[in-house]
Amino acid sequence: MGVRISRRGFLEAAATAIPLGAAVEPATGALSLDKLSSKAASAVARIVDIHLHFDENNPNFIRDLVKLAERIDLTACLLTPYAHRAQVADAAKQYPKQIVPFGFVDLDAPDVLVQIKDLHALGYRGLGELEFVRKPYTDASYLPVYELANQYGWIVMFHTGIVLRRSFDQPEDVASYRMRAFHLEEIARRFPHLTVIGAHCGNPEYEWAAEVARWNPNVFFDLSGSTLTKMKSRLAEFKNIFWWSGQGEWKTQTPANDPSAFIKLVFGSDSGLDGIEQVANQYQALFNSCDVPASTQKMIMGGTLANILRL
Ligand SMILES: [Zn+2]
């Protein structure tokens, strides 16, 4: 989300810290690595975070990010306010393994298409996090944005679900229903060269999010935000939401032909640099509660995005 008010402050501190390596151990699950493409296999150890907001309040943010990324083997899709586009483009050229530049634009800005062309010329790889829209995501006025991103073959990440109040005493033209997960279905179908990522898995409409992801190969969701905290004591319920198998009756199209429904998740932290490992631990708790195969875990934590971004 665009407002950097200590969102992690809303969340409880995680329980015991688990070393990050726990999330990326060699495959021991039902799938063997030879079922993954060799490219995926080479990418699996790396964590790719689709949801890291550039911190305008930290003058050393790039330095701190690169340091962390080298320590935990992380690539961050860095969601960058337009004003900081050149700085982050330069940083991404200097640190291509650590930083993938994504442009944060306001879909309602009159010059949004000009901004997007500018970002493309600077080497940006996608847009996000789109949010705080004046109209539902599928409004016709936004289609030229998706059309352009589709031409670029970009990843576009949308906030989905409930959204915070930026101020508790000022009027604001913001409504969660404009950002419901089911809107992503139409965008994904009309623009098949897009990869559509829904942040927060539609919180609290997880079922809609999962079903949209199920039938649309170019849709994925992250589980950042309050969900993994809220659901901490009942994470196994996600087995009822990501319930199908792509290899059985439901021949859905998935990365590496992975039959697990959980393959439709990607890792996103939506956290400060000091919170990424904690969110990775929360994902690991979900994997453990839902018996997510080790090979699927690796795709969620980085393999899927590494393939799409050709890292
Ligand atoms: Zn968000």
Side-chain angles (χ1 to χ4, degrees):
M1 293 184 273
V3 185
R4 304 283 67 182
I5 62 168
S6 66
R7 93 192 39 256
R8 298 304 302 180
F10 288 124
L11 308 179
E12 296 173 39
T16 332
I18 301 164
L20 265 180
V24 290
E25 283 297 304
T28 52
L31 279 183
S32 60
L33 270 179
D34 59 12
K35 287 197 176 168
L36 302 173
S37 71
S38 57
K39 203 168 177 188
S42 69
V44 287
R46 176 161 288 266
I47 295 173
V48 182
D49 185 348
I50 189 64
H51 200 143
L52 181 66
H53 291 276
F54 180 85
D55 183 353
E56 299 176 273
N57 299 320
N58 176 1
N60 299 314
F61 180 73
I62 296 292
R63 186 200 67 189
D64 294 348
L65 166 58
V66 170
K67 203 167 142 194
L68 174 73
E70 285 172 345
R71 179 168 69 77
I72 66 173
D73 199 11
L74 171 83
T75 301
C77 297
L78 190 50
L79 313 175
T80 306
Y82 190 66
H84 295 273
R85 64 195 179 282
Q87 181 195 353
V88 170
D90 289 346
K93 283 183 189 116
Q94 199 180 345
Y95 305 105
K97 288 213 74 135
Q98 287 79 29
I99 297 172
V100 181
F102 273 57
F104 166 72
V105 294
D106 175 359
L107 281 180
D108 295 290
D111 64 341
V112 64
L113 291 175
V114 174
Q115 291 186 24
I116 292 170
K117 287 173 187 166
D118 189 15
L119 292 166
H120 183 254
L122 285 167
Y124 276 66
R125 307 291 305 278
L127 296 176
E129 178 184 13
L130 305 181
E131 58 186 343
F132 293 114
V133 277
R134 297 272 189 265
K135 292 157 282 187
Y137 284 139
T138 46
D139 190 87
S141 64
Y142 300 146
L143 298 186
V145 168
Y146 310 143
E147 177 62 51
L148 189 54
N150 189 59
Q151 283 172 29
Y152 297 153
W154 269 2
I155 296 177
V156 180
M157 187 173 71
F158 296 83
H159 173 96
T160 61
I162 191 74
V163 71
L164 56 75
R165 279 281 289 272
R166 287 192 274 203
S167 157
F168 292 115
D169 54 5
Q170 297 296 317
E172 57 179 23
D173 185 4
V174 173
S176 317
Y177 83 88
R178 301 169 188 165
M179 301 180 278
R180 291 174 79 175
F182 65 68
H183 291 305
L184 303 193
E185 177 196 47
E186 181 181 348
I187 297 165
R189 291 185 185 202
R190 292 180 77 151
F191 302 102
H193 301 302
L194 283 184
T195 299
V196 175
I197 312 265
H200 321 302
C201 204
N203 181 16
E205 296 181 321
Y206 311 117
E207 266 193 287
W208 260 111
E211 295 293 335
V212 167
R214 176 175 162 230
W215 284 114
N216 294 286
N218 54 335
V219 175
F220 298 86
F221 286 90
D222 83 30
L223 268 172
S224 66
S226 54
T227 292
L228 293 176
T229 301
K230 172 174 61 176
M231 305 283 283
K232 190 169 69 174
S233 63
R234 48 193 175 106
L235 289 170
E237 289 180 20
F238 277 101
K239 284 197 271 193
N240 301 325
I241 294 162
F242 291 90
W243 58 272
W244 64 94
S245 166
Q247 295 271 310
E249 197 179 340
W250 318 102
K251 294 210 179 305
T252 54
Q253 195 183 331
T254 59
N257 294 316
D258 191 317
S260 168
F262 286 91
I263 194 70
K264 301 305 304 199
L265 292 173
V266 293
F267 178 67
S269 69
D270 193 18
S271 156
L273 294 177
D274 57 353
I276 294 174
E277 290 169 277
Q278 178 184 322
V279 180
N281 291 337
Q282 291 184 311
Y283 267 71
Q284 188 60 49
L286 173 78
F287 299 155
N288 295 345
S289 295
C290 296
D291 307 314
V292 178
S295 52
T296 307
Q297 296 180 26
K298 291 178 180 175
M299 294 297 282
I300 294 168
M301 295 304 291
T304 296
L305 285 166
N307 286 345
I308 294 169
L309 290 163
R310 299 179 303 279
L311 297 179

